Amino acid sequence: MTQPIRTLDVKPRLPDALKEILPLSENLWFVWNHEATKLFRWMNPDLWDETRRNPVELLGRLNQDELKHLSEDEGFLAHMQRLYREFQRYMSARPNGSMLAKSDPKILVAYFTAECGVADCLPIYSGGLGILAGDYLKSTSDLHLPIIGVSLAYQKGYFRQYLTQDGWQMETYPENKFPTMPMKLVRGADGTPLTVAVDLKGENVQIQAWEVNIGTTRLYLLDTNLKSNSEPARTITSELYGGDREMRLRQEIILGIGGVRFLEAMGLKPSVYHMNEGHSAFAVFERIRQLREEEGLSFNEAVEFVRTTSVFTTHTPVAAGIDRFHRDLMFPYFESMARSMGISFDVLLAFGREEPRNSEEEFCMTVLPMRLSLWINGVSRLHAEISRKMWKKIWPNTPETDLPIVHITNGVHIPSWISWGMGEIYDRYLGPRWIEDPDNVKVWERVGTIPDTELWRTHERARERLVSFTRKRLTRQLAKRGASSRELAIANDVLNSEILTIGFARRFALYKRANLILRDMDRLEALLTNEKYPVQIIFAGKAHPQDQMAKDIIKQLVQTARRENLRRRMVFLEDYDMELASYMVQGVDIWLNTPRRPLEACGTSGMKAVANGALHLSVLDGWWDEGYDREIGWAIGGGEEYQDHDFQDEVESRALYDILEKDIIPLFYDRGPDGLPRGWLGMMKASLHKLCPLFNTHRMVEEYWNRFYLPATRQASHLMADGWKALKELAAWREKIMYNWEKIAIKDIRTDEVVEIKIGTAYHMEADIFLGELLPEDVMVEAYYGRLGPDDRFVDRATQVMQKAEDLGGQTYKYQCDIQFQESGHFGLTIRLTPNHPNPESRHSMGLVIWGKS
């Protein structure tokens, strides 16, 4: 086969009148601007859909006659020019409020993520983790914050799903053509592609990067598909979550180590590195190496600085979903890295083990960033609790409640997911500030001013569009499988745009229990075929290619939907993507979520549906555990957790049917003389009012900014000042603490000799503490007290700092305090010693604690 001697990209020749369309096509701002998508659809509606809503490919495939016709269309030109002015205003706007005014001018945050779902035309995501990252970067743009994204440029992205005749999932992997997508190759000052190299088992693998503009935010996608690399190296960034364990290791080296090197090559100096899940955790090793080689820091000094400026977000509440690598797999990739960091390979491995000295334990990509990040969070309140339970072995002597894992609950980028009609309603009744300030509770208080008639008609139109879209998509997928004319006719007549519509769409995994509603088919059939109060349900979602059990669930759903009496009321749509997700969250009445608690870290699909006026029906897991209120939605169960899963499924499926039969269906069909479901509309408004200001990515980004990014940047500036003076002192202090901690002891504890005390009465405690080589200012001595359960374990706790009262000589000091109990109950007390770290956030991160003994 003849091979080309060179390649080049041919761009469309745009008439001068259309020059403003080019910058609009090259920035993903259009994804969350309805007027922008309307503009591109205007150019050629069929081609717009065929290109998966890719404006760069759309322009490239329009012929010159079409472009000439558009350049003479006054209506089109006026729309384009108005939109371009709006785009310019957006790009030049100042940061929201005073967020940057209070910041260090050098602040720059690098956000590392293995997948990123921003747009359909950039398919480098698989599910919730990627969609969250995309929504996060959209909000950083809206807030005009100095945050950049780093991910991988997957040549094949994630798989496309299609179903066989019997409903079995199959996968295809169409290749992404980067030159025809809204992205540009990063080039150096000489115009040639900028590259960096990473050593992979002796091979010098070259990495280039593509820049994606997401409003004012830049996302850099790393790519190893260069001719200068070997064939195995070129395929590293080929497929999202593809290949074996070694391929996963190689991808994560490229993302973490390659990402840090590429930012440096571009002259970018992030003050904070945020690792969104553990895939990019090797970045901490590269940063330590750079600090040693370029700044002359010792290993311990570099570790202290990296820890202070690293943020880690864990998303996985299931141990099986976390990457772990065997020592033998790690050795050829990291033996030289360990030497360049100034440590042995075994010490490097210890950073990724829950038990550092356990040579049999595999290296864990969650343990590594937890050990080397000062700022750690789960993605919901419940998930943070689960994470503290999962990872307590990292800090073996610290109570779960004190472990340094907090929660910042996920959100969604509301403008990206609401229908055009809902956007108009929000503009009209909430005012334009709702887009700029969606986490402002006062803005959402105005939901009550929306007329019931207008809200309901808008929602009904969205349901109509969902039904129309479902029919077209179902007909298309059946036609591809060679379905009969009768089947195609039925597909074109499924669903009813006027009846109660339930949506269930997400990544298919066993714990998400998509088939829970199938457990009692008699009750389900009665619901779906009721002539007076009918119900319909739409399913969508992909199973991992190796997850046979999840594929079985899809097959079960598809075959159930083909039953003659159900096929017009139950549908499974294949190839779940952002377009399908948008239609579903905009058009359903109920969003159904049935995970096995507590295995849903957060889950954000329900938040998208809620922003469109849908009501949420879910197990109390993830975000719904903190968002639920009986006035705004429904809960399956009361937050119970079961050992017997079959019994749990039986109990919760019955609860699901009961809620549908007794609460949801009667409320939906309870219509007034004007045909409006007033009770339902009241819940819709209450849901919008309470949930939208909380569960959005603007609030989420601002939390990261204020709680993590700003303090980390300020501490970094302090540590770097005067030739790293404060850092060297902190590292020396830490070494002193670690070396001397085992020598200190609580020698004697004295308390009031009483067994009862009245509320408000002072209770005196004293302790003699031997500090050895440490000083009183090196330690924090606290009274630790709280209610006791039947097993004499603390069920809650409070602390009070004990003050040094006397130097007893011999490096021993007397500490004391008076405690006043403000509530009655059965209490326990003890004394706790921890390092008095200069950073209060780090007190428990060292894992050092000494407890009083009776």
Side-chain angles (χ1 to χ4, degrees):
M1 182 177 175
T2 303
Q3 296 292 317
I5 59 172
R6 64 178 300 173
T7 62
L8 70 161
D9 300 321
V10 180
K11 302 293 185 181
R13 181 186 298 166
L14 293 177
D16 287 343
L18 296 180
K19 63 182 179 181
E20 291 163 344
I21 201 75
L22 200 58
L24 291 172
S25 71
E26 294 174 342
N27 193 305
L28 293 179
W29 173 77
F30 76 85
V31 172
W32 66 99
N33 187 292
H34 290 291
E35 291 300 315
T37 55
K38 180 180 176 182
L39 179 76
F40 292 122
R41 182 172 291 280
W42 190 336
M43 300 181 81
N44 187 319
D46 294 334
L47 194 55
W48 176 244
D49 289 333
E50 187 181 327
T51 61
R52 298 191 71 185
R53 294 149 300 283
N54 178 349
V56 172
E57 186 176 356
L58 172 71
L59 288 176
R61 292 177 60 180
L62 289 172
N63 61 50
Q64 291 302 133
D65 286 341
E66 287 177 294
L67 292 172
K68 183 175 184 298
H69 174 73
L70 289 168
S71 71
E72 296 169 352
D73 185 328
E74 293 184 3
F76 178 85
L77 294 177
H79 188 135
M80 179 190 70
Q81 290 160 3
R82 184 171 61 252
L83 191 67
Y84 182 67
R85 288 193 295 272
E86 183 183 341
F87 175 67
Q88 286 184 308
R89 282 195 298 271
Y90 177 89
M91 295 296 289
S92 61
R94 300 302 304 158
N96 195 9
S98 59
M99 289 183 70
L100 266 186
K102 302 175 183 176
S103 307
D104 187 306
K106 299 176 183 177
I107 190 169
L108 176 66
V109 179
Y111 180 80
F112 283 69
T113 182
E115 54 176 290
C116 192
V118 184
D120 267 330
C121 61
L122 194 64
I124 54 170
Y125 64 92
S126 73
L129 178 70
I131 299 297
L132 172 82
D135 280 11
Y136 166 95
L137 292 175
K138 293 171 189 174
S139 278
T140 67
S141 171
D142 287 345
L143 294 167
H144 297 272
L145 296 174
I147 297 174
I148 52 177
V150 180
S151 190
L152 298 180
Y154 301 103
Q155 197 75 47
K156 296 181 180 178
Y158 202 53
F159 71 88
R160 305 298 298 272
Q161 177 197 54
Y162 70 96
L163 304 176
T164 63
Q165 193 66 35
D166 64 350
W168 189 255
Q169 173 184 294
M170 302 293 286
E171 300 87 25
T172 61
Y173 293 86
E175 291 202 8
N176 290 321
K177 299 174 183 177
F178 297 149
T180 66
M181 297 166 72
M183 53 202 293
K184 288 186 176 180
L185 198 60
V186 177
R187 299 182 181 275
D190 61 356
T192 61
L194 184 65
T195 63
V196 296
V198 171
D199 180 87
L200 293 182
K201 214 160 57 170
E203 180 181 358
N204 211 33
V205 175
Q206 299 294 312
I207 306 168
Q208 64 183 8
W210 300 83
E211 181 179 297
V212 179
N213 291 312
I214 306 169
T216 61
T217 297
R218 290 168 294 165
L219 168 65
Y220 295 102
L221 303 177
L222 307 176
D223 179 12
T224 62
N225 187 20
L226 285 78
K227 289 184 178 179
S228 56
N229 288 332
S230 68
E231 190 59 33
R234 294 184 70 171
T235 63
I236 293 173
T237 56
S238 174
E239 190 178 315
L240 175 59
Y241 302 144
D244 57 13
R245 302 305 301 162
E246 185 165 11
M247 177 58 82
R248 182 67 65 88
L249 176 65
R250 288 160 71 86
Q251 284 189 338
E252 294 179 354
I253 291 171
I254 295 298
L255 177 60
I257 296 175
V260 172
R261 290 183 184 177
F262 209 95
L263 293 179
E264 182 182 43
M266 287 191 293
L268 297 172
K269 300 289 185 183
S271 54
V272 179
Y273 289 75
H274 185 166
M275 295 166 281
N276 186 46
E277 197 48 278
H279 307 106
S280 59
F282 292 134
V284 297
F285 286 158
E286 174 62 13
R287 294 183 61 210
I288 291 169
R289 184 197 67 79
Q290 286 186 2
L291 287 166
R292 280 180 45 75
E293 293 185 1
E294 297 172 12
E295 301 294 339
L297 300 180
S298 70
F299 174 75
N300 287 338
E301 290 165 351
V303 164
E304 201 64 43
F305 188 76
V306 167
R307 180 182 284 114
T308 301
T309 52
S310 292
V311 175
F312 174 57
T313 300
T314 174
H315 290 259
T316 309
V318 184
I322 294 167
D323 289 336
R324 298 175 188 270
F325 302 113
H326 191 274
R327 182 188 196 281
D328 294 345
L329 181 58
M330 293 277 293
F331 184 80
Y333 289 97
F334 284 94
E335 190 269 337
S336 62
M337 169 64 82
R339 277 189 277 107
S340 68
M341 291 165 62
I343 57 176
S344 70
F345 177 66
D346 286 332
V347 171
L348 180 146
L349 288 181
F351 279 100
R353 290 172 173 159
E354 294 177 72
E355 301 176 74
R357 293 181 176 83
N358 181 0
S359 61
E360 300 301 313
E361 184 181 336
E362 292 189 320
F363 187 94
C364 176
M365 295 298 284
T366 296
V367 174
L368 172 62
M370 282 192 173
R371 288 200 182 278
L372 289 177
S373 300
L374 179 55
W375 322 89
I376 308 170
N377 73 285
V379 291
S380 69
R381 183 178 60 200
L382 179 60
H383 178 233
E385 294 173 10
I386 299 304
S387 297
R388 290 192 287 269
K389 284 184 172 67
M390 285 180 67
W391 304 109
K392 60 187 177 184
K393 287 172 68 175
I394 300 176
W395 304 275
N397 297 317
T398 303
E400 280 181 24
T401 188
D402 292 328
L403 296 183
I405 304 174
V406 299
H407 80 276
I408 294 181
T409 302
N410 286 342
V412 297
H413 185 254
I414 293 177
S416 291
W417 297 103
I418 59 170
S419 67
W420 177 82
M422 286 299 286
E424 272 204 328
I425 281 183
Y426 291 161
D427 287 343
R428 188 176 304 122
Y429 295 101
L430 274 58
R433 284 189 61 200
W434 82 266
I435 294 182
E436 304 167 9
D437 205 9
D439 55 337
N440 187 327
V441 176
K442 289 191 176 298
V443 169
W444 291 96
E445 287 176 353
R446 296 182 59 81
V447 163
T449 66
I450 302 173
D452 285 354
T453 302
E454 196 167 345
L455 180 59
W456 188 243
R457 297 296 174 243
T458 299
H459 180 66
E460 286 194 310
R461 283 194 294 273
R463 193 191 309 119
E464 289 168 3
R465 286 193 297 272
L466 170 60
V467 169
S468 175
F469 173 84
T470 299
R471 290 171 176 172
K472 289 179 183 177
R473 191 139 176 170
L474 184 61
T475 301
R476 188 169 69 240
Q477 70 188 45
L478 288 174
K480 285 182 180 179
R481 293 203 293 270
S484 67
S485 298
R486 179 177 178 275
E487 287 180 299
L488 294 178
I490 292 174
N492 203 37
D493 194 35
V494 298
L495 307 183
N496 182 322
S497 61
E498 296 181 355
I499 70 176
L500 176 63
T501 305
I502 301 172
F504 184 104
R506 53 191 37 83
R507 178 177 62 88
F508 268 55
L510 204 59
Y511 78 87
K512 292 180 183 285
R513 300 188 297 175
N515 57 348
L516 187 68
I517 199 169
L518 304 186
R519 194 168 177 94
D520 187 334
M521 283 305 302
D522 289 339
R523 291 182 79 175
L524 179 60
E525 288 183 16
L527 290 173
L528 298 183
T529 60
N530 187 301
E531 292 186 8
K532 188 176 182 181
Y533 302 126
V535 177
Q536 59 196 11
I537 184 166
I538 305 171
F539 289 93
K542 296 177 178 179
H544 188 278
Q546 273 76 56
D547 191 341
Q548 303 303 311
M549 289 187 288
K551 287 185 174 184
D552 276 330
I553 293 175
I554 291 176
K555 182 178 178 180
Q556 181 185 7
L557 289 168
V558 172
Q559 293 185 348
T560 302
R562 287 184 184 162
R563 294 188 183 186
E564 193 63 35
N565 63 331
L566 299 183
R567 59 196 313 164
R568 285 183 170 83
R569 291 286 179 266
M570 182 175 171
V571 172
F572 186 97
L573 293 176
E574 65 186 40
D575 203 26
Y576 184 44
D577 58 11
M578 291 180 73
E579 181 189 28
L580 172 51
S582 293
Y583 275 100
M584 286 190 67
V585 298
Q586 292 167 13
V588 299
D589 301 296
I590 290 289
W591 193 261
L592 178 62
N593 187 36
T594 53
R596 194 181 303 284
R597 177 186 165 110
L599 301 182
E600 184 86 283
C602 182
T604 56
S605 56
M607 301 177 191
K608 304 177 183 93
V610 162
N612 282 284
L615 298 180
H616 205 233
L617 167 59
S618 174
V619 171
L620 288 174
D621 199 8
W623 77 278
W624 194 234
D625 186 63
E626 58 196 90
Y628 167 69
D629 183 306
R630 63 183 302 126
E631 303 301 319
I632 61 173
W634 295 273
I636 301 169
E640 302 88 355
E641 296 175 21
Y642 298 78
Q643 296 300 315
D644 185 334
H645 289 172
D646 189 63
F647 177 69
Q648 178 182 10
D649 292 349
E650 182 64 25
V651 170
E652 294 184 343
S653 66
R654 288 183 182 181
L656 169 57
Y657 298 128
D658 287 344
I659 293 169
L660 287 170
E661 293 166 351
K662 299 174 183 177
D663 296 331
I664 292 176
I665 296 172
L667 185 66
F668 182 85
Y669 287 108
D670 181 15
R671 307 299 171 96
D674 54 4
L676 296 179
R678 298 286 182 180
W680 189 276
L681 282 159
M683 287 189 73
M684 285 175 67
K685 290 183 178 180
S687 173
L688 293 171
H689 179 199
K690 179 180 178 184
L691 299 177
C692 287
L694 289 176
F695 298 103
N696 65 79
T697 41
H698 277 45
R699 184 273 311 155
M700 183 185 83
V701 169
E702 288 173 355
E703 274 201 70
Y704 279 117
W705 186 268
N706 292 316
R707 294 176 61 185
F708 290 175
Y709 301 162
L710 280 185
T713 299
R714 289 169 182 154
Q715 290 185 28
S717 296
H718 170 67
L719 295 176
M720 293 170 68
D722 299 326
W724 303 88
K725 178 183 176 183
L727 175 66
K728 294 178 183 295
E729 291 174 351
L730 177 58
W733 175 86
R734 187 184 181 96
E735 289 178 30
K736 179 179 73 168
I737 295 291
M738 297 295 289
Y739 181 76
N740 290 286
W741 190 255
E742 292 185 359
K743 302 173 187 176
I744 70 176
I746 302 173
K747 301 187 74 172
D748 186 34
I749 300 175
R750 297 175 295 278
T751 62
D752 287 345
E753 295 295 327
V754 296
V755 294
E756 285 187 3
I757 192 171
K758 300 292 186 184
I759 288 178
T761 304
Y763 183 85
H764 189 70
M765 292 188 74
E766 294 180 356
D768 298 339
I769 312 293
F770 173 73
L771 294 181
E773 299 300 316
L774 300 183
L775 301 173
E777 55 264 33
D778 291 329
V779 299
M780 175 73 73
V781 183
E782 295 169 299
Y784 186 103
Y785 57 98
R787 282 191 183 83
L788 299 178
D791 57 356
D792 276 350
R793 292 181 180 273
F794 288 104
V795 295
D796 56 27
R797 67 100 171 94
T799 60
Q800 183 166 325
V801 176
M802 300 182 71
Q803 302 298 328
K804 185 186 74 171
E806 186 178 349
D807 184 342
L808 301 176
Q811 299 167 309
T812 302
Y813 301 84
K814 173 183 171 182
Y815 286 79
Q816 65 182 24
C817 73
D818 289 314
I819 301 170
Q820 288 192 336
F821 295 92
Q822 301 302 322
E823 297 178 356
S824 61
H826 181 55
F827 283 77
L829 303 94
T830 187
I831 288 177
R832 179 177 71 180
L833 269 67
T834 55
N836 188 25
H837 200 288
N839 299 330
E841 298 86 356
S842 298
R843 282 187 53 212
H844 300 295
S845 65
M846 295 175 70
L848 301 177
V849 60
I850 295 174
W851 295 95
K853 297 179 180 178
S854 56

